[in-house]
Amino acid sequence: MAVFHGKAGTVTWDGGGTAHVTNWTLNVTCDLAEATAMGDTYKTHTVGFFDSSATVNSYIDSGGLDPDIANDLGRSSTLLLDTTTGLSYSLTAICNDIAMNVDSDGNPTVTYSFAGNGTIVTQA
């Protein structure tokens, strides 16, 4: 489940803005290690490592995708997700997937997926 989302915010990847953003999500999860001992009635867990992932959906510009889009794949850079409430979330992330789609109205869209590579910084 998405912890944070932005439907009217903005996205900045590697210092450049992403145009025509329709929405973004930022998910934060943690690993759980079982710590149940013999004789316990219920399982107990210990918190492990934290992880994050993000997706950004946008329309494709009428001129098509940026020719340098392949350079984004596998690269680690700063991802800045802004909301309209004055909050923003900044993290170092790796772009690990770019998927081109067409919505139900026939508009070409693109979905960028990111894997977090460090802590998330919340800025007000």
Side-chain angles (χ1 to χ4, degrees):
M1 178 187 304
V3 177
F4 310 110
H5 65 88
K7 292 189 178 180
T10 60
V11 175
T12 304
W13 165 247
D14 194 32
T18 301
H20 313 297
V21 172
T22 59
N23 65 4
W24 57 259
T25 60
L26 174 59
N27 297 311
V28 181
T29 59
C30 70
D31 294 334
L32 293 177
E34 188 175 334
T36 308
M38 290 178 60
D40 289 347
T41 306
Y42 289 90
K43 287 185 176 183
T44 57
H45 295 90
T46 301
V47 175
F49 293 107
F50 288 92
D51 194 13
S52 62
S53 62
T55 57
V56 175
N57 297 300
S58 65
Y59 289 114
I60 297 176
D61 196 300
S62 61
L65 287 173
D66 183 345
D68 293 330
I69 196 168
N71 294 333
D72 287 335
L73 282 172
R75 189 171 48 148
S76 181
S77 191
T78 301
L79 178 64
L80 180 63
L81 305 167
D82 281 316
T83 68
T84 57
T85 62
L87 291 176
S88 64
Y89 306 94
S90 176
L91 67 148
T92 301
I94 298 170
C95 181
N96 62 340
D97 187 56
I98 300 173
M100 274 88 31
N101 313 289
V102 176
D103 69 11
S104 60
D105 294 325
N107 298 311
T109 62
V110 61
T111 300
Y112 300 91
S113 298
F114 300 91
N117 199 16
T119 60
I120 299 170
V121 177
T122 305
Q123 303 166 357

